[in-house]
């Protein structure tokens, strides 16, 4: 993903152009478009129900008639919503991809995709695959047309899909296939086919592998035959279905749509069971709060479809007749893909947005005085307008200062959506200002079909995650061990509504840990109700530990403070109950460290610099300042660190696919180094 941000190294040139244009730009006044129309009263964004629990619901619900959460029963299943989207699109473009080396996208219409999905589903049935409550199909692929069409086909013939992905690891993938008993798996590459065939002796239920390639080499076919697996191509299944076309037999609202396995930070993956109704209510709710897609929009799909966030974006797009364009499959070309696709909808996660923000602001700070002055003037002027509710990309500053940045994503983005974790207020304001677009933040988890609260379009105040969406109620419950009490408007965030999952697949004990007897899903996050009825995430109930003097530590809270240091790319805070303070593992920011090394005449490669006491001292100095600025108490301040040159990543198993730290894995791998910090 680092390559996505390579453009920012040329930021001053891209933004400012010639010095003459910059100087001319300083004398021009801003021109604003009309203010965003408010859908709700931003001073009162949720309704508190009567009663001791302090439950809050959307202001869009009719609470006088007992509508505390909506079910959105316009459609009986997701396939019906896709057919509705086909009508809305006027049979316009549905799915597009960029062939290798091409400078434009190739599209298939909604009718072509529907026909392809029906043929693929019919081909599965002809192969002996029957729809129903216990029909499971695995999808082991990156985002591409075959992934989405397979999902549509399965909704048409009442087949439950189970996404698989590389970062689960071989052991977890095997665990999922065996736990569910998956008989059919759709793959994108022969590399994955080989991987599955190698595991076949342990994958007893796997009977059929479908690969999205045109021809299968004889050696792979022979290998499949040898282990008793039917191996065929995606196109062959489509052609088989064409010859034996079956009428769709879609599911009901309460039938299982998918089992989405969360990678988790500890233990085996957990299979989140979501129904058609769960997914349908999400599309209805996000539309109601201003995430309105239409048949003129284009969505850029690069976040993994295996996760509920992007999966929700897929079905929102399909139900609205929106164009859905896939990235080329190479993370290094995401910016190139976006510039060619010209999406109007751009979805990201905070880690992506933060990286763009960090690199861009760093480049500006290194520019000449005149260029910094012009950028700051432009940014300050537009930022003030954004905070008043005016979001535009038509100002003079956009033309002279920000346009070339906007063009990196195609120049047509009108809506950004951030999810996966709370985003920094500064980053959200930066995106609204520089890209001149509405930025909406969603908060939730897989267990509530991706979202439970969403910021309302037009509310440009940052620092919160919005009010409950119409399909969900939210309440806070006491967390006495951390001194959070619902009566004070603070506590663990809990959800209840038509978006809440049915439980973990074959894990009733784990389900009972998060889903109480009244149907409330306990998130593990600590929230704070703000006076305007929006929710702010302030802490995490999980991943806390107690120090020797009895004080509780929330490591993620501290990590968010320390990672703001310019010299730090990643940080992992550690402590145990036998010690009175915390220590940390730090991965320096390579670009910033190399610059500091040049300034301070430190010698060596990045890896060598990470072993330097001078570098360690410099980073500790920055961390000390950050801790003081955040008014951390003495026991919350990191006392010692060790440096690591290899970043924590999905590939090395230290981050989950949603980019959260796998704390148990990290602790196990670096326990000795962390404990040595206490010994010294």
């Amino acid at each position: 993903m680092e390559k996505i941000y390579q453009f920012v190294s040329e930021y001053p040139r891209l933004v400012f152009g010639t010095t003459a244009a910059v100087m001319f730009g300083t004398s021009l006044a801003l021109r604003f478009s009309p203010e965003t129309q408010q859908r709700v009263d931003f001073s009162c964004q949720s309704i508190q129900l009567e009663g001791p629990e302090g439950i809050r619901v959307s202001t869009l619900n009719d609470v006088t008639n007992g509508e505390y959460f909506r079910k959105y029963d316009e459609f009986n299943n997701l396939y019906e919503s896709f057919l509705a989207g086909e009508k809305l699109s006027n049979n316009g473009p549905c799915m597009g991809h960029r062939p290798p080396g091409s400078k434009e996208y190739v599209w298939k219409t909604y009718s072509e995709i529907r026909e392809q999905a029906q043929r693929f589903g019919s081909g599965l049935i002809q192969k002996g695959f029957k729809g129903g409550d216990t029909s499971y199909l695995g999808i082991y692929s990156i985002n591409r047309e075959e992934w989405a069409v397979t999902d549509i086909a399965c909704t048409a013939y009442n087949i439950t899909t189970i996404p698989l992905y590389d970062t689960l690891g071989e052991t977890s993938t095997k665990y999922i296939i065996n736990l569910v008993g998956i008989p059919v798996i759709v793959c994108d590459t022969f590399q994955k086919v080989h991987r599955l065939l190698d595991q076949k002796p342990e994958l007893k239920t796997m009977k059929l592998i479908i690969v999205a390639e045109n021809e299968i080499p004889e050696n792979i076919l022979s290998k499949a035959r040898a282990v008793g697996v039917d191996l065929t191509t995606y196109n062959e299944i489509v052609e088989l279905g064409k010859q034996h076309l079956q009428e769709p037999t879609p599911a009901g609202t309460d039938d299982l749509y998918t089992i989405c396995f969360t990678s988790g930070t500890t233990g085996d993956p957990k299979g989140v069971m979501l129904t058609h109704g769960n997914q349908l209510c999400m599309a209805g709710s996000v539309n109601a709060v201003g995430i309105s897609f239409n048949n003129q929009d284009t969505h850029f799909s690069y976040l993994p479809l295996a996760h509920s966030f992007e999966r929700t974006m897929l079905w929102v797009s399909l139900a609205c007749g929106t164009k859905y364009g896939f990235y080329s499959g190479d993370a290094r070309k995401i910016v190139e893909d976006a510039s060619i696709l010209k999406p109007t909808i751009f979805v990201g996660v905070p880690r992506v947005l933060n990286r763009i923000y960090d690199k861009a602001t760093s480049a500006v700070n290194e520019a000449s005085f005149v260029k910094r002055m012009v950028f700051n003037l432009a940014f300050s002027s537009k930022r003030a307008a954004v905070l008043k509710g005016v979001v535009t990309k038509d100002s003079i500053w956009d033309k002279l200062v920000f346009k070339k940045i906007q063009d990196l994503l195609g120049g047509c983005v009108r809506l950004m959506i951030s999810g996966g974790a709370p985003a920094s207020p500064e980053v959200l304001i930066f995106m609204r200002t520089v890209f001149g677009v509405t930025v909406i933040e969603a908060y939730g988890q897989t267990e509530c079909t991706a979202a439970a609260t969403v910021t309302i379009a037009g509310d440009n105040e940052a620092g919160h995650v919005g009010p409950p969406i119409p399909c969900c109620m939210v309440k806070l419950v006491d967390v006495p061990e951390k001194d959070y009490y619902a009566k004070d408007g603070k506590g663990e965030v809990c959800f209840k509504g038509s978006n809440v999952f049915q439980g973990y697949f074959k894990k009733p004990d784990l389900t009972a840990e998060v889903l109480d007897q009244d149907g409330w899903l306990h998130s593990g996050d600590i929230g704070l109700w703000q006076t305007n009825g929006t929710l702010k995430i302030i802490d995490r109930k999980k991943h806390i530990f107690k120090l020797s003097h009895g004080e509780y530590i929330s490591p993620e809270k501290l990590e968010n403070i320390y990672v703001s240091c310019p010299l730090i790319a990643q940080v992992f805070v550690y402590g145990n109950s036998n010690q009175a303070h915390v220590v940390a593992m730090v991965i320096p920011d390579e670009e910033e460290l190399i610059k500091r090394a040049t300034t301070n005449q430190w010698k060596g490669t990045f890896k060598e610099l990470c072993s330097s006491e001078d570098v360690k001292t410099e980073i500790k100095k920055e961390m000390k300042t950050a801790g003081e600025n955040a008014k951390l108490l003495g026991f919350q301040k990191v006392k010692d660190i060790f440096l690591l040159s290899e970043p924590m990543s999905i590939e090395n198993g230290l981050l989950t696919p949603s980019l959260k730290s796998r704390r148990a894995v990290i602790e196990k791998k670096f326990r000795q180094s962390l404990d040595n910090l206490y010994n010294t």
Side-chain angles (χ1 to χ4, degrees):
M1 292 296 285
E2 290 297 319
K3 293 291 185 180
I4 299 175
Y5 315 108
Q6 61 188 2
F7 73 87
V8 295
S9 62
E10 298 185 80
Y11 185 95
R13 181 183 62 79
L14 289 170
V15 173
F16 298 118
T18 64
T19 303
V22 172
M23 296 301 290
F24 179 64
T26 60
S27 66
L28 300 176
L30 277 172
R31 292 181 293 107
F32 294 117
S33 59
E35 293 194 12
T36 305
Q37 182 179 1
Q38 295 187 3
R39 301 176 65 90
V40 298
D41 179 358
F42 291 144
S43 66
C44 181
Q45 297 190 35
S46 65
I47 301 169
Q48 182 169 328
L49 303 181
E50 293 183 6
E53 293 183 280
I55 299 170
R56 285 188 172 268
V57 301
S58 170
T59 58
L60 300 175
N61 293 347
D62 184 5
V63 296
T64 58
N65 290 322
E67 186 188 56
Y68 304 136
F69 60 87
R70 296 188 190 177
K71 291 190 175 181
Y72 290 99
D73 51 6
E74 178 183 358
F75 305 113
N76 292 312
N77 51 67
L78 288 164
Y79 187 63
E80 284 186 12
S81 75
F82 167 70
L83 296 179
E86 181 183 4
K87 290 181 180 178
L88 289 172
S89 75
N90 296 316
N91 195 30
C94 180
M95 292 184 191
H97 72 284
R98 185 163 75 98
S102 175
K103 291 297 183 183
E104 57 184 43
Y105 269 69
V106 177
W107 294 90
K108 287 184 179 177
T109 66
Y110 267 80
S111 294
E112 288 173 327
I113 292 298
R114 172 177 49 78
E115 184 177 77
Q116 186 176 327
Q118 289 183 358
R119 289 175 178 178
F120 183 79
S122 297
L124 290 175
I125 292 173
Q126 191 63 26
K127 276 284 191 179
F129 196 82
K130 306 300 182 185
D133 290 342
T134 57
S135 295
Y136 304 116
L137 180 144
I139 306 178
Y140 193 10
S141 170
I142 64 168
N143 298 15
R144 55 188 292 167
E145 180 184 299
E146 291 85 353
W147 204 118
V149 173
T150 297
D151 208 29
I152 296 170
C154 288
T155 66
Y157 294 94
N158 195 14
I159 298 169
T160 301
T161 51
I162 295 94
L164 304 167
Y165 41 101
D166 281 333
T167 50
L168 281 168
E170 185 176 306
T171 301
S172 292
T173 300
K174 187 191 322 177
Y175 169 82
I176 292 169
I177 294 171
N178 286 331
L179 177 69
V180 178
I182 301 175
V184 182
I185 300 175
V186 178
C187 293
D188 57 346
T189 65
F190 288 125
Q191 181 182 18
K192 289 171 184 169
V193 172
H194 272 297
R195 198 173 300 158
L196 291 171
L197 293 177
D198 287 341
Q199 298 180 69
K200 171 53 184 169
E202 298 175 68
L203 303 178
K204 301 190 185 332
T205 62
M206 186 176 67
K207 305 297 182 186
L208 172 64
I209 297 177
I210 302 168
V211 62
E213 297 281 359
N214 291 327
E215 295 183 10
I216 305 174
E218 183 56 38
N219 65 315
I220 303 179
L221 277 172
S222 299
K223 183 176 181 179
R225 291 192 204 103
V227 295
V229 170
D230 184 4
L231 177 60
T232 187
T233 69
Y234 177 88
N235 287 337
E236 286 171 342
I237 295 292
V238 171
E239 186 59 31
L240 180 64
K242 180 181 178 181
Q243 297 169 11
H244 302 277
L245 202 61
Q246 304 285 322
E247 280 297 313
T249 54
T253 307
D254 297 328
D255 287 327
L256 197 59
Y257 154 57
T258 189
I259 304 174
C260 192
F261 278 83
T262 62
S263 57
T265 55
T266 61
D268 292 322
K270 295 175 290 188
V272 176
M273 296 188 292
L274 299 173
T275 66
H276 285 256
N278 288 145
Q279 195 70 60
L280 285 167
C281 78
M282 190 55 56
S285 285
V286 297
N287 234 313
V289 299
I291 307 180
S292 53
F293 294 14
N294 59 55
N295 61 7
Q296 299 302 307
D297 279 318
T298 302
H299 172 72
F300 180 40
S301 175
Y302 72 98
L303 294 176
L305 269 168
H307 301 154
S308 60
F309 188 25
E310 181 61 26
R311 197 91 166 274
T312 294
M313 292 300 103
L314 168 66
W315 284 101
V316 171
S317 298
L318 294 177
C320 296
T322 297
K323 295 165 66 177
Y324 195 83
F326 298 96
Y327 83 117
S328 60
D330 186 346
R332 295 169 298 180
K333 295 182 179 179
I334 286 179
V335 167
E336 182 182 329
D337 291 335
S339 66
I340 294 171
L341 178 64
K342 302 185 185 305
T344 60
I345 312 292
F346 185 83
V347 178
V349 293
R351 193 176 289 262
V352 171
L353 303 183
N354 289 348
R355 195 64 176 161
I356 294 174
Y357 170 80
D358 290 342
K359 293 298 182 182
T361 52
S362 176
V364 170
N365 290 336
E366 294 171 8
S368 70
F369 171 77
V370 172
K371 291 177 179 180
R372 286 200 312 274
M373 180 183 69
V374 174
F375 177 86
N376 290 334
L377 177 60
F379 185 80
S380 178
S381 298
K382 278 202 71 183
R383 181 181 183 277
V386 164
L387 294 178
K388 292 178 180 178
V390 180
V391 176
T392 179
K393 60 172 65 175
D394 294 329
S395 72
I396 291 298
W397 293 127
D398 288 295
K399 291 177 172 58
L400 295 181
V401 181
F402 302 127
K403 186 177 185 302
K404 289 188 177 180
I405 301 180
Q406 296 166 4
D407 286 345
L408 291 165
L409 294 180
C412 296
V413 176
R414 69 171 182 84
L415 174 65
M416 284 187 176
I417 305 170
S418 175
S424 160
E426 298 132 298
V427 172
L428 292 177
I429 292 173
F430 180 87
M431 294 299 168
R432 287 170 178 142
T433 302
V434 171
F435 283 92
V437 298
T438 297
V439 183
I440 286 177
E441 188 171 10
Y443 160 72
Q445 57 191 86
T446 305
E447 288 84 347
C448 62
T449 323
T453 72
V454 173
T455 56
I456 305 296
D459 180 5
N460 295 310
E461 180 182 337
H464 63 82
V465 292
I469 55 178
C471 67
C472 188
M473 303 188 295
V474 180
K475 71 173 181 178
L476 305 180
V477 299
D478 295 345
V479 185
E481 65 270 26
K482 298 197 72 174
D483 202 28
Y484 293 126
Y485 295 95
K487 64 180 177 60
D488 302 322
K490 301 177 184 178
E492 182 184 9
V493 183
C494 298
F495 318 119
K496 185 177 181 179
S498 51
N499 60 333
V500 172
F501 77 142
Q502 309 306 298
Y504 295 120
F505 185 77
K506 291 185 178 179
K507 297 293 179 182
D509 53 335
L510 296 179
T511 301
E513 290 180 8
V514 299
L515 198 61
D516 66 30
Q517 60 185 5
D518 295 321
W520 286 96
L521 171 63
H522 292 245
S523 70
D525 292 320
I526 304 298
L528 163 70
W529 287 122
Q530 301 200 114
T531 55
N532 64 355
T534 59
L535 183 69
K536 182 176 183 177
I537 305 302
I538 58 173
D539 205 344
R540 183 85 178 136
K541 181 181 178 182
K542 299 176 182 177
H543 307 144
I544 63 173
F545 50 81
K546 187 186 293 186
L547 297 178
S548 59
H549 43 59
E551 297 287 356
Y552 284 94
I553 291 290
S554 175
E556 290 170 330
K557 180 179 179 180
L558 301 183
E559 288 161 4
N560 287 335
I561 292 170
Y562 287 124
V563 81
S564 65
C565 298
L567 267 173
I568 295 178
Q570 295 173 314
V571 60
F572 178 81
V573 172
Y574 171 79
N576 63 60
S577 58
N578 296 320
Q579 304 292 338
H581 59 272
V582 293
V583 294
M585 174 178 74
V586 171
I587 297 89
D589 184 288
E590 183 171 359
E591 184 178 326
E592 182 67 23
L593 180 53
I594 295 299
K595 287 191 297 189
R596 296 281 185 98
T598 302
T599 302
N600 294 299
Q601 298 185 333
W602 298 331
K603 305 296 183 183
T605 63
F606 174 66
K607 186 173 182 179
E608 290 168 342
L609 289 169
C610 288
S611 300
S612 164
E613 284 299 318
D614 289 334
V615 172
K616 180 177 176 180
T617 299
E618 186 77 3
I619 291 176
K620 287 175 71 174
K621 187 193 303 181
E622 283 195 1
M623 293 178 74
K624 181 172 184 281
T625 301
E628 290 171 349
N629 290 341
K631 296 180 170 53
L632 294 183
L633 301 175
F635 65 87
Q636 295 174 313
K637 296 176 181 177
V638 167
K639 293 297 189 292
D640 203 359
I641 62 173
F642 77 89
L643 306 184
L644 193 69
S645 58
E646 180 189 4
M648 295 182 286
S649 68
I650 298 172
E651 289 71 25
N652 61 24
L654 301 182
L655 297 181
T656 72
S658 55
L659 303 178
K660 296 182 177 68
S661 298
R662 303 185 75 130
R663 307 200 72 86
V665 176
I666 297 169
E667 283 186 20
K668 182 178 181 181
K669 184 171 182 177
F670 299 104
R671 173 64 62 83
Q672 184 172 347
S673 297
L674 291 163
D675 286 341
N676 284 343
L677 294 176
Y678 286 119
N679 297 332
T680 56

